[in-house]
CSV table of all heavy atoms in Angstrom, one decimal:
chain,number,residue,atom,x,y,z
P,1,THR,N,78.8,-16.4,-6.6
P,1,THR,CA,79.3,-16.1,-8.0
P,1,THR,C,80.8,-15.8,-8.0
P,1,THR,O,81.2,-14.8,-7.4
P,1,THR,CB,78.5,-14.9,-8.5
P,1,THR,OG1,77.1,-15.2,-8.5
P,1,THR,CG2,78.9,-14.6,-10.0
P,2,ALA,N,81.5,-16.7,-8.6
P,2,ALA,CA,83.0,-16.5,-8.7
P,2,ALA,C,83.3,-15.3,-9.5
P,2,ALA,O,82.7,-15.0,-10.5
P,2,ALA,CB,83.6,-17.7,-9.3
P,3,LYS,N,84.4,-14.6,-9.1
P,3,LYS,CA,84.8,-13.4,-9.8
P,3,LYS,C,86.1,-13.7,-10.5
P,3,LYS,O,87.0,-14.5,-10.0
P,3,LYS,CB,85.0,-12.2,-8.8
P,3,LYS,CG,83.7,-11.7,-8.2
P,3,LYS,CD,83.9,-10.5,-7.4
P,3,LYS,CE,82.6,-9.9,-6.9
P,3,LYS,NZ,82.8,-8.7,-6.1
P,4,THR,N,86.3,-13.0,-11.7
P,4,THR,CA,87.5,-13.2,-12.5
P,4,THR,C,88.6,-12.3,-12.0
P,4,THR,O,88.4,-11.4,-11.1
P,4,THR,CB,87.2,-12.9,-13.9
P,4,THR,OG1,86.9,-11.5,-14.1
P,4,THR,CG2,86.0,-13.7,-14.5
P,5,CYS,N,89.8,-12.5,-12.5
P,5,CYS,CA,90.9,-11.6,-12.2
P,5,CYS,C,90.6,-10.2,-12.6
P,5,CYS,O,90.8,-9.2,-11.8
P,5,CYS,CB,92.2,-12.1,-13.0
P,5,CYS,SG,92.8,-13.7,-12.6
P,6,SER,N,90.0,-10.0,-13.8
P,6,SER,CA,89.7,-8.7,-14.2
P,6,SER,C,88.6,-8.0,-13.3
P,6,SER,O,88.8,-6.8,-13.0
P,6,SER,CB,89.1,-8.8,-15.7
P,6,SER,OG,88.7,-7.5,-16.1
P,7,GLN,N,87.6,-8.7,-12.9
P,7,GLN,CA,86.6,-8.2,-12.0
P,7,GLN,C,87.1,-7.7,-10.7
P,7,GLN,O,86.6,-6.8,-10.1
P,7,GLN,CB,85.5,-9.2,-11.8
P,7,GLN,CG,84.6,-9.4,-13.1
P,7,GLN,CD,83.6,-10.6,-12.9
P,7,GLN,OE1,83.9,-11.5,-12.2
P,7,GLN,NE2,82.5,-10.5,-13.5
P,8,GLN,N,88.2,-8.3,-10.3
P,8,GLN,CA,88.8,-8.0,-9.0
P,8,GLN,C,90.0,-7.0,-9.1
P,8,GLN,O,90.6,-6.6,-8.2
P,8,GLN,CB,89.3,-9.2,-8.3
P,8,GLN,CG,88.2,-10.2,-7.9
P,8,GLN,CD,88.8,-11.5,-7.2
P,8,GLN,OE1,89.1,-11.4,-6.0
P,8,GLN,NE2,88.9,-12.6,-7.9
P,9,GLY,N,90.3,-6.6,-10.4
P,9,GLY,CA,91.3,-5.7,-10.7
P,9,GLY,C,92.7,-6.2,-10.4
P,9,GLY,O,93.6,-5.5,-10.0
P,10,ILE,N,92.9,-7.6,-10.6
P,10,ILE,CA,94.2,-8.2,-10.3
P,10,ILE,C,94.9,-8.5,-11.6
P,10,ILE,O,94.3,-9.1,-12.5
P,10,ILE,CB,93.9,-9.5,-9.6
P,10,ILE,CG1,93.3,-9.2,-8.2
P,10,ILE,CG2,95.2,-10.3,-9.4
P,10,ILE,CD1,92.9,-10.5,-7.4
P,11,GLY,N,96.1,-8.0,-11.8
P,11,GLY,CA,96.8,-8.1,-13.1
P,11,GLY,C,97.8,-9.2,-13.1
P,11,GLY,O,98.3,-9.5,-14.2
P,12,CYS,N,98.2,-9.8,-12.0
P,12,CYS,CA,99.2,-10.8,-12.0
P,12,CYS,C,99.2,-11.7,-10.8
P,12,CYS,O,98.6,-11.4,-9.8
P,12,CYS,CB,100.6,-10.2,-12.2
P,12,CYS,SG,101.0,-9.0,-10.8
P,13,GLY,N,99.9,-12.9,-10.9
P,13,GLY,CA,100.0,-13.7,-9.8
P,13,GLY,C,98.8,-14.5,-9.5
P,13,GLY,O,97.8,-14.4,-10.1
P,14,PRO,N,98.8,-15.4,-8.4
P,14,PRO,CA,97.7,-16.2,-8.1
P,14,PRO,C,96.7,-15.3,-7.3
P,14,PRO,O,97.1,-14.3,-6.7
P,14,PRO,CB,98.2,-17.3,-7.2
P,14,PRO,CG,99.5,-16.7,-6.6
P,14,PRO,CD,100.0,-15.7,-7.6
P,15,ALA,N,95.4,-15.7,-7.2
P,15,ALA,CA,94.4,-15.0,-6.5
P,15,ALA,C,93.3,-16.0,-6.2
P,15,ALA,O,93.1,-17.0,-6.8
P,15,ALA,CB,93.9,-13.8,-7.2
P,16,GLY,N,92.4,-15.6,-5.3
P,16,GLY,CA,91.2,-16.4,-5.0
P,16,GLY,C,90.0,-15.8,-5.8
P,16,GLY,O,90.0,-14.6,-6.2
P,17,ASP,N,89.0,-16.6,-6.1
P,17,ASP,CA,87.8,-16.2,-6.9
P,17,ASP,C,86.7,-15.7,-6.0
P,17,ASP,O,85.6,-15.4,-6.4
P,17,ASP,CB,87.4,-17.3,-7.8
P,17,ASP,CG,86.8,-18.5,-7.1
P,17,ASP,OD1,86.8,-18.5,-5.8
P,17,ASP,OD2,86.4,-19.5,-7.8
P,18,GLY,N,86.9,-15.7,-4.6
P,18,GLY,CA,85.9,-15.2,-3.7
P,18,GLY,C,85.0,-16.3,-3.3
P,18,GLY,O,84.1,-16.1,-2.4
P,19,CYS,N,85.0,-17.5,-3.9
P,19,CYS,CA,84.1,-18.6,-3.6
P,19,CYS,C,84.9,-19.8,-3.1
P,19,CYS,O,84.4,-20.9,-3.2
P,19,CYS,CB,83.2,-18.9,-4.8
P,19,CYS,SG,82.2,-17.6,-5.3
P,20,GLY,N,86.2,-19.6,-2.7
P,20,GLY,CA,87.0,-20.8,-2.3
P,20,GLY,C,87.9,-21.4,-3.3
P,20,GLY,O,88.6,-22.3,-3.1
P,21,GLY,N,87.8,-20.9,-4.6
P,21,GLY,CA,88.6,-21.4,-5.7
P,21,GLY,C,89.8,-20.5,-5.9
P,21,GLY,O,89.9,-19.4,-5.4
P,22,ALA,N,90.8,-21.0,-6.7
P,22,ALA,CA,92.0,-20.3,-7.0
P,22,ALA,C,92.0,-19.8,-8.4
P,22,ALA,O,91.5,-20.5,-9.3
P,22,ALA,CB,93.2,-21.1,-6.6
P,23,LEU,N,92.6,-18.7,-8.7
P,23,LEU,CA,92.8,-18.2,-10.0
P,23,LEU,C,94.3,-18.0,-10.3
P,23,LEU,O,95.1,-17.7,-9.4
P,23,LEU,CB,92.1,-16.8,-10.2
P,23,LEU,CG,90.6,-16.8,-10.0
P,23,LEU,CD1,90.1,-15.3,-9.9
P,23,LEU,CD2,89.9,-17.5,-11.1
P,24,ALA,N,94.7,-18.1,-11.6
P,24,ALA,CA,96.0,-17.8,-12.0
P,24,ALA,C,95.9,-16.5,-12.9
P,24,ALA,O,95.3,-16.6,-14.0
P,24,ALA,CB,96.6,-18.9,-12.8
P,25,CYS,N,96.3,-15.4,-12.4
P,25,CYS,CA,96.1,-14.1,-13.1
P,25,CYS,C,97.3,-13.7,-14.0
P,25,CYS,O,97.4,-12.5,-14.3
P,25,CYS,CB,95.8,-13.0,-12.1
P,25,CYS,SG,94.2,-13.4,-11.1
P,26,GLY,N,98.1,-14.6,-14.3
P,26,GLY,CA,99.2,-14.3,-15.3
P,26,GLY,C,100.5,-13.9,-14.7
P,26,GLY,O,100.6,-13.6,-13.5
P,27,SER,N,101.5,-13.9,-15.6
P,27,SER,CA,102.9,-13.5,-15.2
P,27,SER,C,103.2,-12.1,-15.7
P,27,SER,O,102.4,-11.5,-16.5
P,27,SER,CB,103.9,-14.5,-15.7
P,27,SER,OG,103.8,-14.7,-17.1
P,28,CYS,N,104.4,-11.6,-15.4
P,28,CYS,CA,104.8,-10.3,-15.7
P,28,CYS,C,105.8,-10.4,-16.8
P,28,CYS,O,106.6,-11.3,-16.9
P,28,CYS,CB,105.3,-9.5,-14.5
P,28,CYS,SG,104.0,-9.2,-13.3
P,29,PRO,N,106.0,-9.3,-17.7
P,29,PRO,CA,107.0,-9.3,-18.7
P,29,PRO,C,108.4,-9.2,-18.1
P,29,PRO,O,108.6,-8.9,-16.9
P,29,PRO,CB,106.7,-8.0,-19.5
P,29,PRO,CG,105.9,-7.2,-18.6
P,29,PRO,CD,105.1,-8.1,-17.7
P,30,THR,N,109.4,-9.5,-18.9
P,30,THR,CA,110.8,-9.5,-18.5
P,30,THR,C,111.1,-8.1,-17.9
P,30,THR,O,110.8,-7.1,-18.5
P,30,THR,CB,111.7,-9.8,-19.6
P,30,THR,OG1,111.4,-11.0,-20.2
P,30,THR,CG2,113.2,-9.8,-19.2
P,31,GLY,N,111.8,-8.1,-16.7
P,31,GLY,CA,112.1,-6.8,-16.1
P,31,GLY,C,111.1,-6.3,-15.1
P,31,GLY,O,111.4,-5.4,-14.4
P,32,GLN,N,109.9,-7.0,-15.0
P,32,GLN,CA,108.9,-6.6,-14.1
P,32,GLN,C,108.6,-7.8,-13.2
P,32,GLN,O,108.8,-9.0,-13.6
P,32,GLN,CB,107.7,-6.1,-14.8
P,32,GLN,CG,107.9,-4.8,-15.6
P,32,GLN,CD,106.6,-4.3,-16.1
P,32,GLN,OE1,105.5,-4.5,-15.5
P,32,GLN,NE2,106.7,-3.5,-17.2
P,33,THR,N,108.0,-7.5,-12.0
P,33,THR,CA,107.5,-8.6,-11.2
P,33,THR,C,106.2,-8.2,-10.6
P,33,THR,O,105.8,-7.0,-10.6
P,33,THR,CB,108.5,-8.9,-10.0
P,33,THR,OG1,108.7,-7.7,-9.3
P,33,THR,CG2,109.8,-9.4,-10.5
């Protein structure tokens, strides 16, 4: 069962879904990284 960015507590950048797939968890606002 693939997990979302929210379920993994990831707020930004790329991540894995736990099942071999990749997620895009968003970018940051100006002034933050």
Side-chain angles (χ1 to χ4, degrees):
T1 302
K3 292 188 176 181
T4 64
C5 298
S6 176
Q7 289 172 327
Q8 299 180 75
I10 298 174
C12 58
D17 64 2
C19 298
L23 299 170
C25 298
S27 56
C28 294
T30 303
Q32 297 186 27
T33 58

